[in-house]
Short mmCIF file of all heavy atoms in Angstrom, two decimals:
data_model
loop_
_atom_site.label_atom_id
_atom_site.label_comp_id
_atom_site.label_asym_id
_atom_site.label_seq_id
_atom_site.Cartn_x
_atom_site.Cartn_y
_atom_site.Cartn_z
N MET A 1 -3.61 -41.52 152.87
CA MET A 1 -2.58 -41.08 153.77
C MET A 1 -3.02 -39.78 154.40
O MET A 1 -3.49 -38.82 153.71
CB MET A 1 -1.29 -40.87 153.01
CG MET A 1 -0.19 -40.31 153.88
SD MET A 1 1.42 -40.58 153.08
CE MET A 1 2.02 -38.97 152.99
N VAL A 2 -2.95 -39.67 155.71
CA VAL A 2 -3.37 -38.49 156.46
C VAL A 2 -2.19 -37.51 156.44
O VAL A 2 -1.05 -37.87 156.61
CB VAL A 2 -3.74 -38.84 157.91
CG1 VAL A 2 -4.04 -37.58 158.70
CG2 VAL A 2 -4.89 -39.80 157.95
N ARG A 3 -2.52 -36.21 156.17
CA ARG A 3 -1.51 -35.16 156.21
C ARG A 3 -1.92 -34.11 157.23
O ARG A 3 -3.09 -33.92 157.52
CB ARG A 3 -1.43 -34.49 154.81
CG ARG A 3 -0.93 -35.41 153.74
CD ARG A 3 -0.90 -34.72 152.37
NE ARG A 3 -0.98 -33.30 152.38
CZ ARG A 3 -1.48 -32.57 151.40
NH1 ARG A 3 -1.97 -33.19 150.35
NH2 ARG A 3 -1.54 -31.24 151.45
N TYR A 4 -0.95 -33.50 157.81
CA TYR A 4 -1.14 -32.41 158.81
C TYR A 4 -0.41 -31.17 158.33
O TYR A 4 0.70 -31.26 157.74
CB TYR A 4 -0.63 -32.85 160.17
CG TYR A 4 -1.42 -33.92 160.76
CD1 TYR A 4 -1.13 -35.28 160.58
CD2 TYR A 4 -2.54 -33.66 161.61
CE1 TYR A 4 -1.83 -36.29 161.09
CE2 TYR A 4 -3.29 -34.66 162.18
CZ TYR A 4 -2.90 -36.00 161.91
OH TYR A 4 -3.65 -37.00 162.49
N GLU A 5 -0.98 -30.03 158.59
CA GLU A 5 -0.37 -28.72 158.33
C GLU A 5 -0.64 -27.80 159.44
O GLU A 5 -1.76 -27.82 160.02
CB GLU A 5 -0.83 -28.11 157.00
CG GLU A 5 -0.27 -28.74 155.80
CD GLU A 5 -0.56 -27.94 154.52
OE1 GLU A 5 -0.95 -26.71 154.66
OE2 GLU A 5 -0.42 -28.49 153.43
N SER A 6 0.33 -27.03 159.86
CA SER A 6 0.15 -26.06 160.91
C SER A 6 0.59 -24.67 160.42
O SER A 6 1.37 -24.54 159.52
CB SER A 6 1.06 -26.45 162.12
OG SER A 6 0.66 -27.67 162.62
N GLU A 7 0.00 -23.65 161.03
CA GLU A 7 0.42 -22.30 160.73
C GLU A 7 0.23 -21.44 161.99
O GLU A 7 -0.63 -21.73 162.85
CB GLU A 7 -0.36 -21.72 159.54
CG GLU A 7 -1.85 -21.56 159.71
CD GLU A 7 -2.50 -21.01 158.47
OE1 GLU A 7 -2.46 -19.78 158.24
OE2 GLU A 7 -3.03 -21.84 157.70
N VAL A 8 0.95 -20.37 162.06
CA VAL A 8 0.86 -19.44 163.13
C VAL A 8 0.16 -18.14 162.64
O VAL A 8 0.55 -17.63 161.59
CB VAL A 8 2.24 -19.03 163.70
CG1 VAL A 8 2.11 -17.95 164.80
CG2 VAL A 8 2.93 -20.27 164.28
N VAL A 9 -0.84 -17.77 163.40
CA VAL A 9 -1.61 -16.50 163.05
C VAL A 9 -1.22 -15.50 164.16
O VAL A 9 -1.46 -15.77 165.34
CB VAL A 9 -3.11 -16.76 163.01
CG1 VAL A 9 -3.84 -15.46 162.70
CG2 VAL A 9 -3.48 -17.86 162.04
N ARG A 10 -0.62 -14.39 163.76
CA ARG A 10 -0.27 -13.38 164.76
C ARG A 10 -1.52 -12.62 165.25
O ARG A 10 -2.36 -12.30 164.42
CB ARG A 10 0.72 -12.34 164.12
CG ARG A 10 2.04 -12.98 163.80
CD ARG A 10 2.83 -13.21 165.00
NE ARG A 10 4.03 -13.98 164.68
CZ ARG A 10 4.71 -14.62 165.56
NH1 ARG A 10 4.34 -14.73 166.79
NH2 ARG A 10 5.82 -15.26 165.18
N VAL A 11 -1.59 -12.44 166.55
CA VAL A 11 -2.70 -11.74 167.14
C VAL A 11 -2.23 -10.78 168.20
O VAL A 11 -1.08 -10.85 168.65
CB VAL A 11 -3.72 -12.77 167.82
CG1 VAL A 11 -4.38 -13.66 166.73
CG2 VAL A 11 -3.02 -13.63 168.84
N SER A 12 -3.12 -9.87 168.62
CA SER A 12 -2.73 -8.91 169.65
C SER A 12 -3.25 -9.18 170.99
O SER A 12 -2.81 -8.61 171.94
CB SER A 12 -3.19 -7.49 169.19
OG SER A 12 -4.62 -7.42 169.20
N PHE A 13 -4.19 -10.13 171.12
CA PHE A 13 -4.81 -10.41 172.40
C PHE A 13 -3.98 -11.34 173.25
O PHE A 13 -3.17 -12.10 172.72
CB PHE A 13 -6.24 -10.95 172.20
CG PHE A 13 -6.31 -12.27 171.51
CD1 PHE A 13 -6.23 -13.48 172.23
CD2 PHE A 13 -6.42 -12.34 170.13
CE1 PHE A 13 -6.31 -14.66 171.56
CE2 PHE A 13 -6.47 -13.54 169.44
CZ PHE A 13 -6.42 -14.75 170.21
N LYS A 14 -4.26 -11.29 174.54
CA LYS A 14 -3.67 -12.28 175.48
C LYS A 14 -4.69 -13.28 175.84
O LYS A 14 -5.89 -12.92 176.03
CB LYS A 14 -3.21 -11.58 176.73
CG LYS A 14 -2.06 -10.58 176.53
CD LYS A 14 -1.67 -9.96 177.89
CE LYS A 14 -0.57 -8.97 177.65
NZ LYS A 14 -0.21 -8.31 178.91
N LEU A 15 -4.37 -14.50 175.91
CA LEU A 15 -5.32 -15.58 176.19
C LEU A 15 -5.95 -15.41 177.59
O LEU A 15 -7.08 -15.72 177.78
CB LEU A 15 -4.65 -16.96 176.07
CG LEU A 15 -5.58 -18.15 176.16
CD1 LEU A 15 -6.60 -18.12 175.03
CD2 LEU A 15 -4.78 -19.45 176.07
N ILE A 16 -5.18 -14.87 178.52
CA ILE A 16 -5.71 -14.71 179.89
C ILE A 16 -6.63 -13.53 180.01
O ILE A 16 -7.23 -13.35 181.03
CB ILE A 16 -4.53 -14.61 180.88
CG1 ILE A 16 -3.62 -13.42 180.58
CG2 ILE A 16 -3.77 -15.91 180.99
CD1 ILE A 16 -2.57 -13.13 181.60
N LYS A 17 -6.72 -12.69 178.99
CA LYS A 17 -7.62 -11.54 179.03
C LYS A 17 -8.73 -11.79 177.99
O LYS A 17 -8.48 -12.35 176.92
CB LYS A 17 -6.87 -10.28 178.60
CG LYS A 17 -6.10 -9.63 179.71
CD LYS A 17 -5.43 -8.42 179.19
CE LYS A 17 -6.20 -7.20 179.43
NZ LYS A 17 -5.55 -5.97 179.05
N ALA A 18 -9.91 -11.35 178.32
CA ALA A 18 -11.05 -11.48 177.38
C ALA A 18 -11.10 -10.21 176.52
O ALA A 18 -12.03 -9.49 176.52
CB ALA A 18 -12.33 -11.68 178.14
N SER A 19 -10.00 -9.99 175.78
CA SER A 19 -9.91 -8.73 175.01
C SER A 19 -9.70 -9.01 173.53
O SER A 19 -9.18 -8.15 172.85
CB SER A 19 -8.80 -7.88 175.56
OG SER A 19 -7.53 -8.56 175.43
N ILE A 20 -10.11 -10.16 173.05
CA ILE A 20 -9.93 -10.46 171.63
C ILE A 20 -10.83 -9.51 170.83
O ILE A 20 -11.96 -9.27 171.18
CB ILE A 20 -10.21 -11.91 171.31
CG1 ILE A 20 -9.88 -12.23 169.84
CG2 ILE A 20 -11.64 -12.29 171.68
CD1 ILE A 20 -9.86 -13.71 169.51
N LYS A 21 -10.27 -8.99 169.72
CA LYS A 21 -11.00 -8.05 168.87
C LYS A 21 -11.84 -8.86 167.89
O LYS A 21 -11.47 -9.95 167.45
CB LYS A 21 -10.03 -7.16 168.13
CG LYS A 21 -9.20 -6.27 169.05
CD LYS A 21 -8.22 -5.48 168.28
CE LYS A 21 -7.33 -4.69 169.23
NZ LYS A 21 -6.25 -4.03 168.48
N GLU A 22 -12.95 -8.31 167.49
CA GLU A 22 -13.84 -8.97 166.51
C GLU A 22 -13.12 -9.21 165.23
O GLU A 22 -13.36 -10.21 164.58
CB GLU A 22 -15.07 -8.13 166.27
CG GLU A 22 -16.07 -8.17 167.45
CD GLU A 22 -17.38 -7.49 167.13
OE1 GLU A 22 -17.85 -7.55 165.96
OE2 GLU A 22 -17.92 -6.86 168.06
N GLU A 23 -12.19 -8.31 164.82
CA GLU A 23 -11.43 -8.52 163.55
C GLU A 23 -10.54 -9.75 163.66
O GLU A 23 -10.32 -10.44 162.69
CB GLU A 23 -10.55 -7.29 163.25
CG GLU A 23 -11.25 -5.95 163.24
CD GLU A 23 -11.22 -5.30 164.62
OE1 GLU A 23 -10.18 -4.96 165.20
OE2 GLU A 23 -12.31 -5.11 165.12
N GLU A 24 -10.00 -10.01 164.87
CA GLU A 24 -9.16 -11.20 165.04
C GLU A 24 -9.97 -12.47 165.01
O GLU A 24 -9.51 -13.47 164.46
CB GLU A 24 -8.33 -11.04 166.31
CG GLU A 24 -7.29 -9.93 166.17
CD GLU A 24 -6.62 -9.61 167.47
OE1 GLU A 24 -7.21 -9.54 168.49
OE2 GLU A 24 -5.38 -9.39 167.36
N ILE A 25 -11.17 -12.42 165.59
CA ILE A 25 -12.03 -13.61 165.52
C ILE A 25 -12.40 -13.88 164.07
O ILE A 25 -12.34 -15.02 163.58
CB ILE A 25 -13.30 -13.38 166.33
CG1 ILE A 25 -12.98 -13.35 167.84
CG2 ILE A 25 -14.31 -14.48 166.08
CD1 ILE A 25 -14.14 -12.98 168.72
N ALA A 26 -12.72 -12.80 163.30
CA ALA A 26 -13.04 -12.92 161.90
C ALA A 26 -11.85 -13.50 161.12
O ALA A 26 -12.04 -14.29 160.22
CB ALA A 26 -13.51 -11.59 161.32
N LEU A 27 -10.64 -13.04 161.42
CA LEU A 27 -9.46 -13.57 160.77
C LEU A 27 -9.28 -15.05 161.01
O LEU A 27 -9.07 -15.84 160.06
CB LEU A 27 -8.18 -12.79 161.26
CG LEU A 27 -6.87 -13.38 160.80
CD1 LEU A 27 -6.67 -13.21 159.29
CD2 LEU A 27 -5.71 -12.69 161.57
N LEU A 28 -9.40 -15.48 162.25
CA LEU A 28 -9.28 -16.93 162.55
C LEU A 28 -10.41 -17.69 161.88
O LEU A 28 -10.14 -18.77 161.33
CB LEU A 28 -9.32 -17.12 164.08
CG LEU A 28 -8.13 -16.57 164.85
CD1 LEU A 28 -8.39 -16.66 166.35
CD2 LEU A 28 -6.81 -17.33 164.51
N ASP A 29 -11.61 -17.21 161.92
CA ASP A 29 -12.76 -17.90 161.24
C ASP A 29 -12.48 -18.00 159.77
O ASP A 29 -12.71 -19.07 159.14
CB ASP A 29 -14.03 -17.16 161.47
CG ASP A 29 -14.59 -17.33 162.89
OD1 ASP A 29 -14.15 -18.22 163.60
OD2 ASP A 29 -15.52 -16.55 163.24
N ASP A 30 -11.96 -16.95 159.17
CA ASP A 30 -11.69 -16.98 157.70
C ASP A 30 -10.64 -18.05 157.37
O ASP A 30 -10.87 -18.80 156.39
CB ASP A 30 -11.20 -15.59 157.26
CG ASP A 30 -10.96 -15.57 155.77
OD1 ASP A 30 -11.83 -15.87 154.99
OD2 ASP A 30 -9.82 -15.24 155.38
N ILE A 31 -9.61 -18.14 158.15
CA ILE A 31 -8.55 -19.13 157.90
C ILE A 31 -9.13 -20.51 158.07
O ILE A 31 -8.92 -21.42 157.18
CB ILE A 31 -7.37 -18.95 158.84
CG1 ILE A 31 -6.63 -17.65 158.49
CG2 ILE A 31 -6.39 -20.17 158.83
CD1 ILE A 31 -5.61 -17.21 159.51
N ILE A 32 -9.91 -20.78 159.11
CA ILE A 32 -10.48 -22.11 159.37
C ILE A 32 -11.46 -22.48 158.28
O ILE A 32 -11.42 -23.60 157.74
CB ILE A 32 -11.15 -22.13 160.76
CG1 ILE A 32 -10.08 -22.03 161.83
CG2 ILE A 32 -11.94 -23.43 160.92
CD1 ILE A 32 -10.60 -21.72 163.24
N ASN A 33 -12.34 -21.53 157.86
CA ASN A 33 -13.34 -21.82 156.81
C ASN A 33 -12.64 -22.00 155.45
O ASN A 33 -13.11 -22.87 154.69
CB ASN A 33 -14.34 -20.71 156.74
CG ASN A 33 -15.31 -20.76 157.92
OD1 ASN A 33 -15.75 -21.82 158.34
ND2 ASN A 33 -15.64 -19.60 158.51
N ARG A 34 -11.64 -21.24 155.19
CA ARG A 34 -10.93 -21.42 153.92
C ARG A 34 -10.30 -22.81 153.83
O ARG A 34 -10.36 -23.48 152.79
CB ARG A 34 -9.87 -20.32 153.78
CG ARG A 34 -9.48 -19.96 152.36
CD ARG A 34 -8.64 -18.71 152.29
NE ARG A 34 -8.39 -18.04 153.56
CZ ARG A 34 -7.21 -17.81 154.06
NH1 ARG A 34 -6.15 -18.07 153.42
NH2 ARG A 34 -7.06 -17.19 155.23
N ARG A 35 -9.63 -23.19 154.90
CA ARG A 35 -9.04 -24.53 154.92
C ARG A 35 -10.07 -25.60 154.84
O ARG A 35 -9.90 -26.59 154.14
CB ARG A 35 -8.24 -24.72 156.22
CG ARG A 35 -6.97 -23.87 156.32
CD ARG A 35 -5.95 -24.41 155.30
NE ARG A 35 -4.65 -23.82 155.53
CZ ARG A 35 -3.59 -24.56 155.81
NH1 ARG A 35 -3.63 -25.86 155.81
NH2 ARG A 35 -2.41 -23.95 156.01
N ALA A 36 -11.23 -25.43 155.52
CA ALA A 36 -12.30 -26.44 155.47
C ALA A 36 -12.84 -26.61 154.04
O ALA A 36 -13.13 -27.72 153.62
CB ALA A 36 -13.40 -26.06 156.43
N SER A 37 -12.94 -25.47 153.31
CA SER A 37 -13.42 -25.58 151.93
C SER A 37 -12.47 -26.33 151.04
O SER A 37 -12.82 -26.85 149.99
CB SER A 37 -13.74 -24.20 151.39
OG SER A 37 -12.57 -23.46 151.17
N ASP A 38 -11.18 -26.44 151.46
CA ASP A 38 -10.20 -27.21 150.73
C ASP A 38 -10.04 -28.65 151.27
O ASP A 38 -9.10 -29.34 150.93
CB ASP A 38 -8.85 -26.50 150.81
CG ASP A 38 -8.81 -25.21 150.00
OD1 ASP A 38 -9.59 -25.11 149.06
OD2 ASP A 38 -7.97 -24.34 150.31
N GLY A 39 -10.95 -29.01 152.17
CA GLY A 39 -10.94 -30.39 152.72
C GLY A 39 -10.14 -30.58 153.97
O GLY A 39 -10.01 -31.71 154.45
N TRP A 40 -9.65 -29.52 154.59
CA TRP A 40 -8.85 -29.61 155.82
C TRP A 40 -9.79 -29.51 157.06
O TRP A 40 -10.76 -28.78 157.01
CB TRP A 40 -7.82 -28.51 155.90
CG TRP A 40 -6.73 -28.65 154.88
CD1 TRP A 40 -6.73 -28.10 153.64
CD2 TRP A 40 -5.54 -29.42 155.01
NE1 TRP A 40 -5.57 -28.44 153.01
CE2 TRP A 40 -4.82 -29.27 153.82
CE3 TRP A 40 -5.01 -30.19 156.02
CZ2 TRP A 40 -3.59 -29.88 153.62
CZ3 TRP A 40 -3.79 -30.80 155.82
CH2 TRP A 40 -3.07 -30.65 154.60
N GLU A 41 -9.45 -30.26 158.06
CA GLU A 41 -10.21 -30.28 159.30
C GLU A 41 -9.35 -29.67 160.43
O GLU A 41 -8.16 -30.09 160.58
CB GLU A 41 -10.65 -31.67 159.64
CG GLU A 41 -11.36 -31.81 161.00
CD GLU A 41 -11.65 -33.27 161.37
OE1 GLU A 41 -11.20 -34.14 160.65
OE2 GLU A 41 -12.25 -33.45 162.42
N LEU A 42 -9.90 -28.79 161.22
CA LEU A 42 -9.17 -28.23 162.35
C LEU A 42 -8.94 -29.31 163.40
O LEU A 42 -9.92 -30.00 163.78
CB LEU A 42 -9.94 -27.07 163.00
CG LEU A 42 -9.31 -26.45 164.24
CD1 LEU A 42 -8.01 -25.80 163.93
CD2 LEU A 42 -10.28 -25.48 164.86
N VAL A 43 -7.71 -29.52 163.82
CA VAL A 43 -7.41 -30.57 164.77
C VAL A 43 -7.20 -29.99 166.15
O VAL A 43 -7.73 -30.46 167.14
CB VAL A 43 -6.16 -31.38 164.36
CG1 VAL A 43 -5.74 -32.38 165.42
CG2 VAL A 43 -6.35 -32.06 163.03
N THR A 44 -6.32 -28.96 166.22
CA THR A 44 -6.00 -28.34 167.49
C THR A 44 -5.50 -26.95 167.33
O THR A 44 -5.13 -26.55 166.21
CB THR A 44 -4.96 -29.23 168.25
OG1 THR A 44 -4.81 -28.74 169.62
CG2 THR A 44 -3.62 -29.22 167.55
N TYR A 45 -5.45 -26.22 168.41
CA TYR A 45 -4.87 -24.87 168.36
C TYR A 45 -4.18 -24.65 169.70
O TYR A 45 -4.50 -25.31 170.70
CB TYR A 45 -5.92 -23.83 168.15
CG TYR A 45 -6.92 -23.74 169.24
CD1 TYR A 45 -6.76 -22.87 170.33
CD2 TYR A 45 -8.09 -24.55 169.25
CE1 TYR A 45 -7.65 -22.79 171.36
CE2 TYR A 45 -9.00 -24.45 170.28
CZ TYR A 45 -8.77 -23.59 171.33
OH TYR A 45 -9.68 -23.56 172.37
N ALA A 46 -3.22 -23.75 169.71
CA ALA A 46 -2.51 -23.44 170.93
C ALA A 46 -2.13 -21.98 170.93
O ALA A 46 -1.67 -21.47 169.87
CB ALA A 46 -1.27 -24.31 171.11
N PHE A 47 -2.29 -21.31 172.04
CA PHE A 47 -1.92 -19.93 172.15
C PHE A 47 -0.43 -19.87 172.39
O PHE A 47 0.13 -20.63 173.18
CB PHE A 47 -2.65 -19.23 173.27
CG PHE A 47 -2.27 -17.76 173.45
CD1 PHE A 47 -2.63 -16.84 172.54
CD2 PHE A 47 -1.47 -17.41 174.51
CE1 PHE A 47 -2.30 -15.51 172.69
CE2 PHE A 47 -1.10 -16.09 174.66
CZ PHE A 47 -1.50 -15.12 173.72
N MET A 48 0.27 -18.99 171.65
CA MET A 48 1.71 -18.79 171.80
C MET A 48 1.91 -17.41 172.37
O MET A 48 1.76 -16.41 171.64
CB MET A 48 2.41 -18.96 170.45
CG MET A 48 2.21 -20.34 169.86
SD MET A 48 2.80 -20.46 168.17
CE MET A 48 4.43 -19.80 168.29
N GLY A 49 2.23 -17.32 173.66
CA GLY A 49 2.40 -16.02 174.29
C GLY A 49 3.66 -15.36 173.92
O GLY A 49 4.57 -15.93 173.28
N SER A 50 3.80 -14.14 174.43
CA SER A 50 4.95 -13.34 174.17
C SER A 50 6.21 -14.00 174.75
O SER A 50 6.26 -14.39 175.91
CB SER A 50 4.76 -11.96 174.80
OG SER A 50 5.92 -11.24 174.75
N GLY A 51 7.22 -14.06 173.97
CA GLY A 51 8.52 -14.63 174.38
C GLY A 51 9.53 -13.55 174.63
O GLY A 51 10.71 -13.78 174.43
N GLY A 52 9.08 -12.37 174.97
CA GLY A 52 9.99 -11.23 175.18
C GLY A 52 10.02 -10.32 173.97
O GLY A 52 10.45 -9.17 174.11
N ASP A 53 9.66 -10.80 172.82
CA ASP A 53 9.69 -9.95 171.62
C ASP A 53 8.34 -9.29 171.39
O ASP A 53 8.13 -8.56 170.44
CB ASP A 53 10.08 -10.77 170.40
CG ASP A 53 9.09 -11.87 170.03
OD1 ASP A 53 8.17 -12.09 170.79
OD2 ASP A 53 9.30 -12.51 169.02
N GLY A 54 7.39 -9.54 172.29
CA GLY A 54 6.04 -8.91 172.18
C GLY A 54 5.12 -9.64 171.23
O GLY A 54 4.00 -9.25 171.09
N GLY A 55 5.63 -10.66 170.55
CA GLY A 55 4.81 -11.39 169.57
C GLY A 55 3.90 -12.40 170.22
O GLY A 55 4.26 -13.13 171.13
N ARG A 56 2.68 -12.40 169.80
CA ARG A 56 1.68 -13.41 170.25
C ARG A 56 1.10 -14.05 169.03
O ARG A 56 0.98 -13.43 167.97
CB ARG A 56 0.58 -12.76 171.06
CG ARG A 56 1.06 -12.13 172.30
CD ARG A 56 -0.16 -11.56 173.08
NE ARG A 56 0.30 -10.74 174.16
CZ ARG A 56 0.42 -9.46 174.17
NH1 ARG A 56 0.07 -8.74 173.10
NH2 ARG A 56 0.82 -8.78 175.20
N GLY A 57 0.67 -15.26 169.18
CA GLY A 57 0.05 -15.93 168.03
C GLY A 57 -0.78 -17.13 168.47
O GLY A 57 -0.73 -17.55 169.64
N VAL A 58 -1.46 -17.66 167.50
CA VAL A 58 -2.24 -18.87 167.69
C VAL A 58 -1.72 -19.88 166.67
O VAL A 58 -1.69 -19.59 165.47
CB VAL A 58 -3.74 -18.66 167.49
CG1 VAL A 58 -4.51 -19.97 167.63
CG2 VAL A 58 -4.26 -17.61 168.42
N LEU A 59 -1.20 -20.99 167.18
CA LEU A 59 -0.73 -22.06 166.32
C LEU A 59 -1.96 -22.98 166.04
O LEU A 59 -2.57 -23.49 166.96
CB LEU A 59 0.37 -22.88 167.00
CG LEU A 59 0.85 -24.14 166.26
CD1 LEU A 59 1.53 -23.78 164.96
CD2 LEU A 59 1.77 -24.99 167.15
N ILE A 60 -2.32 -23.11 164.77
CA ILE A 60 -3.46 -23.89 164.42
C ILE A 60 -3.02 -25.06 163.52
O ILE A 60 -2.19 -24.87 162.67
CB ILE A 60 -4.60 -23.08 163.74
CG1 ILE A 60 -4.10 -22.20 162.62
CG2 ILE A 60 -5.29 -22.22 164.77
CD1 ILE A 60 -5.14 -21.37 161.95
N THR A 61 -3.57 -26.24 163.77
CA THR A 61 -3.13 -27.42 163.04
C THR A 61 -4.37 -28.05 162.37
O THR A 61 -5.41 -28.19 163.04
CB THR A 61 -2.45 -28.48 163.95
OG1 THR A 61 -1.32 -27.83 164.58
CG2 THR A 61 -2.00 -29.70 163.19
N PHE A 62 -4.22 -28.45 161.12
CA PHE A 62 -5.30 -29.03 160.36
C PHE A 62 -4.85 -30.41 159.87
O PHE A 62 -3.64 -30.69 159.74
CB PHE A 62 -5.58 -28.17 159.14
CG PHE A 62 -6.03 -26.77 159.45
CD1 PHE A 62 -5.15 -25.75 159.60
CD2 PHE A 62 -7.39 -26.52 159.58
CE1 PHE A 62 -5.57 -24.45 159.88
CE2 PHE A 62 -7.82 -25.22 159.87
CZ PHE A 62 -6.90 -24.20 160.03
N ARG A 63 -5.85 -31.28 159.57
CA ARG A 63 -5.54 -32.55 159.00
C ARG A 63 -6.41 -32.78 157.76
O ARG A 63 -7.48 -32.20 157.64
CB ARG A 63 -5.76 -33.70 160.00
CG ARG A 63 -7.16 -34.05 160.27
CD ARG A 63 -7.30 -35.14 161.31
NE ARG A 63 -6.90 -36.42 160.78
CZ ARG A 63 -7.75 -37.35 160.39
NH1 ARG A 63 -9.05 -37.18 160.46
NH2 ARG A 63 -7.30 -38.46 159.95
N LYS A 64 -5.93 -33.62 156.87
CA LYS A 64 -6.63 -33.95 155.64
C LYS A 64 -6.38 -35.41 155.31
O LYS A 64 -5.22 -35.82 155.30
CB LYS A 64 -6.16 -33.02 154.53
CG LYS A 64 -6.92 -33.12 153.25
CD LYS A 64 -6.39 -32.08 152.28
CE LYS A 64 -7.30 -31.92 151.08
NZ LYS A 64 -6.78 -30.87 150.19
N ASP A 65 -7.44 -36.11 155.06
CA ASP A 65 -7.28 -37.53 154.64
C ASP A 65 -6.93 -37.66 153.18
O ASP A 65 -7.27 -36.89 152.38
CB ASP A 65 -8.59 -38.32 154.89
CG ASP A 65 -8.92 -38.48 156.39
OD1 ASP A 65 -7.93 -38.59 157.14
OD2 ASP A 65 -10.05 -38.52 156.75
#
């Protein structure tokens, strides 16, 4: 049975700007690699822009057979 899990990672960068910090790239890589070591595969991601509260994030979804 295939399972899916998603999580939101809060970030400070805007997708339309090339201003992502190295620490944020490292954070995303760490999450993806940690999940991969547990057998999860990255399926998709989506940028979640500010909805007026100033919060930004990346929604990442993984799958596991």
Side-chain angles (χ1 to χ4, degrees):
M1 177 162 123
V2 176
R3 295 179 15 210
Y4 292 88
E5 284 192 15
S6 298
E7 65 182 278
V8 175
V9 180
R10 295 286 173 201
V11 294
S12 66
F13 64 89
K14 294 180 181 179
L15 189 60
I16 58 174
K17 280 179 94 176
S19 61
I20 187 170
K21 298 175 184 173
E22 287 186 37
E23 307 90 63
E24 290 171 320
I25 292 172
L27 171 66
L28 293 170
D29 285 346
D30 181 56
I31 291 168
I32 293 167
N33 286 320
R34 206 169 357 124
R35 290 291 193 121
S37 70
D38 290 335
W40 292 92
E41 175 186 4
L42 176 66
V43 176
T44 189
Y45 65 92
F47 179 73
M48 299 170 50
S50 171
D53 63 355
R56 296 182 190 98
V58 178
L59 174 67
I60 49 181
T61 302
F62 299 90
R63 76 182 288 259
K64 187 176 192 178
D65 290 329

